[in-house]
Amino acid sequence: MKYLTKLLLISCVFLVLMGMVRGEYRSKQSAVAEEMHKLNPAYNTDLSYIDFLTYRVLKNGSARVAILGSSVTKGVGASAPSYNWKALLQNEIRSTSRPLRHVTIANHGHSGYTSEMLLRPEVIEGVIKSRPDLLILETSVINNYRKNVPLNVTESSLKELYRTFTQAIPGLEILFISPNPILKTNLTESGLNELGLTFADYNNLTKALAAENGWHYFDTHDAILNEMTERNIAIEDMLADKIHPNDLGYEMWFNQLYHNKMTLPKFGE
């Protein structure tokens, strides 16, 4: 009899504990569902890219970012891969919250590539295979400028990049960004290429193109210039050569992109 009483008592305790566990589980599930609803772009447009990535993690268990562009996206000029803007951005995102630990960033930077060259099948396929939720697309116009790509070709290639990726990856968010400031004398003493165009002409075109088409865009170039002015930093001090940022330059790139775009509501607009 004592054995049966003890067994019944243990069973009752077990059932109570199971009920408590189930109640706690349901409560957590309810909290996650509420958070997902709040972060769902279908119901709330007042979101940041950090919110968007959090939503994708809660929904799918992970979130992927791909960055595409030229050598300054690849990280040329940094003293080590851990000091380029991609690595700094990934580390910051992952440290922001527990869900965001599950965010990865794939680097598809290609040295010397123009915006036209980014349309090569192997480049497109590489980005698609990484299955990004967010694509940060650096316009590569440093190389368009240096390789004398006409402005109309620059425009058409950027439009084609947008069309290609939005059609190939449903639900993809695309953020266009400009490259960093470069020394005026990187190509000629006058700063003009063979078409009589300056680097600023290419940057201004892409900024206007993004506004005209309603693309999300961040002017990395001007943001870094503003930080340089505030901190009294000369352009030579943030470049490893006449074009590529050094560790300081990439730190400023990351700092401006993360704090003045990634964390602001309405995807930083």
Side-chain angles (χ1 to χ4, degrees), residues 104-227:
T104 56
I105 302 181
N107 194 331
H108 299 275
H110 299 274
S111 295
Y113 275 36
T114 65
S115 57
E116 245 192 323
M117 295 166 76
L118 295 180
L119 286 163
R120 290 178 175 177
E122 66 272 17
V123 177
I124 299 296
E125 289 168 12
V127 174
I128 292 173
K129 282 182 180 178
S130 66
R131 296 179 295 141
D133 299 282
L134 169 64
L135 172 61
I136 302 177
L137 206 166
E138 180 253 309
T139 58
S140 295
V141 291
I142 288 177
N143 292 319
N144 288 45
Y145 155 69
R146 288 176 55 81
K147 296 186 177 184
N148 308 299
V149 178
L151 292 181
N152 66 319
V153 176
T154 300
E155 178 177 342
S156 62
S157 60
L158 291 173
K159 286 181 176 178
E160 184 62 16
L161 283 165
Y162 182 84
R163 185 197 67 79
T164 298
F165 286 121
T166 52
Q167 288 187 359
I169 310 173
L172 175 70
E173 285 291 338
I174 298 179
L175 170 62
F176 283 94
I177 65 173
S178 68
N180 54 278
I182 61 177
L183 279 173
K184 176 184 175 182
T185 57
N186 79 95
L187 191 60
T188 62
E189 286 300 316
S190 67
L192 299 175
N193 66 8
E194 291 178 7
L195 300 175
L197 298 170
T198 65
F199 177 49
D201 291 326
Y202 288 85
N203 256 339
N204 291 337
L205 167 73
T206 55
K207 190 187 304 185
L209 189 62
E212 178 185 324
N213 288 276
W215 299 341
H216 296 299
Y217 181 81
F218 182 67
D219 192 348
T220 315
H221 178 274
D222 283 6
I224 292 175
L225 284 179
N226 291 337
E227 183 173 344

Side-chain angles (χ1 to χ4, degrees), residues 13-164:
V13 170
F14 176 76
L15 290 173
V16 169
L17 289 174
M18 284 295 295
M20 291 173 63
V21 169
R22 287 174 179 169
E24 184 178 352
Y25 175 78
R26 284 194 295 268
S27 176
K28 286 182 178 179
Q29 289 295 97
S30 177
V32 169
E34 184 179 343
E35 184 71 6
M36 284 183 64
H37 181 81
K38 185 173 68 174
L39 297 176
N40 190 334
Y43 305 114
N44 185 3
T45 58
D46 195 32
L47 299 172
S48 69
Y49 283 109
I50 294 300
D51 294 330
F52 171 74
L53 292 173
T54 301
Y55 172 73
R56 287 299 178 96
V57 171
L58 294 175
K59 181 181 179 183
N60 302 321
S62 65
R64 300 178 180 90
V65 180
I67 62 173
L68 173 63
S70 64
S71 56
V72 296
T73 289
K74 188 176 182 179
V76 174
S79 63
S82 58
Y83 291 107
N84 65 38
W85 68 267
K86 173 264 180 185
L88 296 172
L89 181 63
Q90 180 172 271
N91 289 342
E92 184 66 25
I93 289 173
R94 285 179 171 178
S95 68
T96 300
S97 69
R98 182 180 291 274
L100 291 176
R101 294 176 188 175
H102 302 284
V103 172
T104 56
I105 302 181
N107 194 331
H108 299 275
H110 299 274
S111 295
Y113 275 36
T114 65
S115 57
E116 245 192 323
M117 295 166 76
L118 295 180
L119 286 163
R120 290 178 175 177
E122 66 272 17
V123 177
I124 299 296
E125 289 168 12
V127 174
I128 292 173
K129 282 182 180 178
S130 66
R131 296 179 295 141
D133 299 282
L134 169 64
L135 172 61
I136 302 177
L137 206 166
E138 180 253 309
T139 58
S140 295
V141 291
I142 288 177
N143 292 319
N144 288 45
Y145 155 69
R146 288 176 55 81
K147 296 186 177 184
N148 308 299
V149 178
L151 292 181
N152 66 319
V153 176
T154 300
E155 178 177 342
S156 62
S157 60
L158 291 173
K159 286 181 176 178
E160 184 62 16
L161 283 165
Y162 182 84
R163 185 197 67 79
T164 298

